[in-house]
Amino acid sequence: KLREEVNQQAKSGEYKISVNDFVIKAAAMALLKVPEVNSQWMGDFVRQFHTADISVAVATDLGLITPIVKSADRKGLKAISGDVKSLSQKAKENKLKLEEFVGGTFTVSNLGMLGISEFSAVINPPQAAILAVGQTSKRVVTDGDSTKVASIMTVTLSCDHRVVDGAVGARWLQVFRDHMEDPFSMLL
């Protein structure tokens, strides 16, 4: 609902915020709250980062590439959306600079727009985790004694257990879920 309201504010198509833009922002904010996940395995030590540079999986004619939305934790949804569109276009034209696709701290891979409900994604080394995002669907859910129709998205977090164990991964997923269920929390 918030996404629809935000997009209605755009003047003549100035921007269009996608569900994936919200996912990227929620992932970035969760990385700051659970910094163990915002890490890389460096062979004999773990490097932890203080900004969330989110790699976004993009399919091209030459294969999959992961351009980076740098400092996604510090950007608004409009800036994230613009970055994703620009970087995706560059990726498809094979015009990305090395620094635009090397060095991300976490990856989001979204196959929801292709009708995939859930999948497991392979970690992008040396990153410690990747989030696989499935399509959003309407489902009937219970809320106390009543039922309602809600939009439900399935996500799967794959973690390198040398860096992020299951308990830390679960904590990160809880924070991510909280942001997705309360998108206003990402705006403040």
Side-chain angles (χ1 to χ4, degrees):
K1 184 175 177 180
L2 175 63
R3 184 174 73 88
E4 292 169 6
E5 291 176 25
V6 168
N7 285 332
Q8 286 175 356
Q9 299 298 316
K11 295 177 180 76
S12 59
E14 173 190 3
Y15 58 84
K16 184 175 181 188
I17 307 301
S18 70
V19 170
N20 204 48
D21 299 328
F22 278 93
V23 168
I24 292 166
K25 182 65 176 179
M29 293 182 73
L31 289 172
L32 294 187
K33 291 182 181 170
V34 187
E36 300 92 329
V37 180
N38 197 29
S39 301
Q40 292 182 350
W41 174 249
M42 304 307 293
D44 56 354
F45 68 96
V46 174
R47 176 175 289 150
Q48 195 172 97
F49 297 90
H50 301 288
T51 61
D53 296 334
I54 306 291
S55 301
V56 180
V58 175
T60 72
D61 292 340
L62 300 174
L64 197 64
I65 192 161
T66 52
I68 305 162
V69 177
K70 296 192 187 248
S71 299
D73 53 303
R74 297 179 182 155
K75 293 182 177 174
L77 292 165
K78 184 177 171 185
I80 289 170
S81 180
D83 284 0
V84 170
K85 286 177 180 74
S86 172
L87 290 164
S88 295
Q89 187 62 38
K90 282 176 146 183
K92 290 174 182 175
E93 295 170 355
N94 197 26
K95 293 184 177 177
L96 286 173
K97 297 175 186 164
L98 189 62
E99 63 269 15
E100 292 177 314
F101 67 93
V102 173
T105 63
F106 182 89
T107 299
V108 169
S109 181
N110 188 339
L111 296 179
M113 69 285 286
L114 300 175
I116 306 300
S117 58
E118 61 184 89
F119 67 104
S120 297
V122 177
I123 299 166
N124 188 11
Q127 295 175 9
I130 184 170
L131 185 70
V133 181
Q135 74 180 5
T136 302
S137 59
K138 301 280 187 192
R139 295 188 201 155
V140 176
V141 296
T142 58
D143 185 16
D145 292 335
S146 64
T147 60
K148 64 180 181 178
V149 176
S151 295
I152 305 292
M153 170 190 292
T154 300
V155 300
T156 304
L157 183 68
S158 300
C159 303
D160 181 339
H161 279 240
R162 295 173 295 185
V163 181
V164 177
D165 65 26
V168 172
R171 201 164 22 107
W172 184 91
L173 280 168
Q174 287 172 326
V175 173
F176 173 81
R177 181 199 61 213
D178 290 347
H179 283 304
M180 290 300 292
E181 289 180 351
D182 180 17
F184 284 104
S185 68
M186 293 185 269
L187 304 177
L188 304 173

